[in-house]
Amino acid sequence: MGPMVTGTPDAATRVPFVDLGAMTHDVRAEVDAGWCDLLERSDFVGGESVERFERAWASYCGTDEAVAVANGTDALLLTLRGLGIGPGDEVVVPANTFVATVEAVVLAGAIPRFADVDPATALLTPATLADALTPRTAAVLVVHLYGQPADMDALGEVAARAGVMVVEDAAQAHGATWRGRRAGSMGRAGCFSFYPGKNLGAFGDAGAVVTSDPALADVLRSLRNHGRIPGAHARHGLLVGTNSRMDTLQASVLAAKLARLDGWNAARRRIVERYRSALPPALARMIAVAPGAESVHHLAVLVTTDRDALRAGLAERGVESGLHYPVPCHRQAPYRRHSDRALPVCEALADQVVSLPLFPHMTGDQVEAVCRALHECGEERG
Ligand SMILES: *Cc1c(COP(=O)(O)O)cnc(C)c1O
């Protein structure tokens, strides 16, 4: 049995925010075999296993290419650099994202332009994107926040009319679809993180870019490996490269977990449906999933006007919760100078979101404990 809940004697009723142990247990035998094989070959960075995972990930996402990199931030940064985005260019980003989305823009030398989002889905909309465009906009980073793809058709139309490239930050949306197409496959490129807590997570840091643009894939392969020109080991290319290679061990972990991703995502979806049916409407609402979107529920996020009381009520009942994200990016110190206007929806969400426990191996008892706690918090509120 995998360790489900750590420690305490009343473990049966305590619900941790996340527990990765059971996922590790599911793939343990395959990873042990992969690790032995890797030690035999003493093949630690890149190589055959990484190439095999790249092909599997591209095929899963429905793209021609996948380029494995060291983490999700590098996936974004190298994609922007590979598309020639840099000083003088503006890149539109939603303000309610994990800070790495914005970091990548600034690290590429470009200027972030913060956009607001839809209050129901917390995602970019054609109108909020259009509001953030200027003559200097080179690209938009569409974030599929909490596992739900944004409306890529409508956003794509606005971007195409403005001559702006669309890049997807799919770091929370492994396997999600928009009208049947996978997150990551709809823009010029899709950027993934395989940080351990993501829906598809490595045993450490890892990331990937998927694309059907072979020229971009070639540039990314060069950038991640010190700018080397493939086949010419001592020549260091046209652009300044970096070290952003994926470890071989991570590729074997990811290949083993990929076979289970759809099942794990389905389990997340069932848990969120149960939360949705149990949530007292007067207490909070859940982030809505738009028609056409199939979310993989990286997070189960509620929106409530009395967050502190709700979190305290959950904690009293042994239910952990999280905040994603309490400070919008345009209000974080290093990025404030790029903030030129109020973003009322992002600012309200930052004060009102709360994330419930969610991981694929939650037991029925754990799920029901969360539902019961929500019900009781609703009664307390009256
Ligand atoms: C996790 C995450 C990233 C960054 O990935 P790392 O692997 O931690 O560098 C980028 N964007 C979003 C939306 C994320 O959730």
Side-chain angles (χ1 to χ4, degrees), residues 327-349:
V327 182
C329 295
H330 69 297
R331 293 281 176 82
Q332 300 277 8
Y335 309 106
R336 241 178 253 151
R337 66 198 189 86
H338 301 296
S339 166
D340 54 355
R341 65 213 164 103
L343 300 170
V345 178
C346 286
E347 287 156 23
L349 286 172

Side-chain angles (χ1 to χ4, degrees), residues 107-366:
L107 292 173
I111 299 161
R113 285 278 302 182
F114 293 105
D116 216 349
V117 297
D118 180 77
T121 62
L123 300 172
L124 271 184
T125 71
T128 62
L129 168 58
D131 264 358
L133 296 174
T134 78
R136 288 176 305 281
T137 312
V140 52
L141 273 177
V142 177
V143 180
H144 303 316
L145 195 72
Y146 308 144
Q148 177 179 195
D151 180 346
M152 290 296 289
D153 294 308
L155 292 170
E157 264 171 45
V158 171
R161 260 203 308 277
V164 162
M165 291 183 272
V166 179
V167 174
E168 299 174 68
D169 181 341
Q172 301 187 359
H174 313 73
T177 59
W178 170 253
R179 294 185 179 151
R181 285 167 297 154
R182 292 267 192 216
S185 71
M186 295 172 276
R188 278 292 286 275
C191 303
F192 289 92
S193 165
F194 303 120
Y195 180 76
K198 308 290 185 178
N199 290 37
L200 180 61
F203 287 0
D205 281 303
V209 181
V210 296
T211 183
S212 293
D213 174 347
L216 175 61
D218 284 347
V219 174
L220 292 170
R221 290 200 173 92
S222 174
L223 284 175
R224 74 173 171 187
N225 192 19
H226 300 297
R228 281 192 175 111
I229 295 169
H233 197 73
R235 300 263 315 285
H236 293 276
L238 304 168
L239 295 169
V240 176
T242 187
N243 174 0
S244 187
R245 297 173 296 224
M246 185 188 279
D247 288 344
T248 315
L249 171 67
Q250 305 307 348
S252 67
V253 171
L254 291 168
K257 285 193 171 184
L258 177 53
R260 292 155 173 89
L261 177 62
D262 288 341
W264 291 344
N265 282 342
R268 288 174 182 273
R269 199 168 294 129
R270 284 193 298 272
I271 295 163
V272 170
E273 283 319 308
R274 179 73 191 104
Y275 288 164
R276 212 182 282 284
S277 67
L279 182 67
L283 184 66
R285 64 179 170 92
M286 291 196 76
I287 293 289
V289 177
E294 187 163 72
S295 176
V296 290
H297 301 288
H298 175 58
L299 292 165
V301 177
L302 306 182
V303 182
T304 174
T305 50
D306 198 358
R307 178 166 72 190
D308 291 346
L310 175 54
R311 292 196 83 196
L314 291 172
E316 265 168 42
R317 293 166 176 86
V319 175
E320 291 182 2
S321 61
L323 299 179
H324 304 87
Y325 299 91
V327 182
C329 295
H330 69 297
R331 293 281 176 82
Q332 300 277 8
Y335 309 106
R336 241 178 253 151
R337 66 198 189 86
H338 301 296
S339 166
D340 54 355
R341 65 213 164 103
L343 300 170
V345 178
C346 286
E347 287 156 23
L349 286 172
D351 292 333
Q352 297 180 352
V353 286
V354 51
S355 311
L356 297 177
L358 181 60
F359 48 98
H361 295 77
M362 281 182 86
T363 64
D365 285 351
Q366 288 176 321

Side-chain angles (χ1 to χ4, degrees), residues 8-29:
T8 56
D10 60 338
T13 58
R14 295 193 55 78
V15 189
F17 184 68
V18 68
D19 184 343
L20 307 179
M23 279 191 277
T24 302
H25 182 260
D26 278 4
V27 295
R28 183 66 195 266

Side-chain angles (χ1 to χ4, degrees), residues 22-47:
M23 279 191 277
T24 302
H25 182 260
D26 278 4
V27 295
R28 183 66 195 266
E30 280 157 78
V31 172
D32 281 346
W35 178 236
C36 289
D37 192 40
L38 185 158
L39 292 181
E40 277 313 309
R41 286 181 284 120
S42 285
D43 185 7
F44 297 113
V45 176

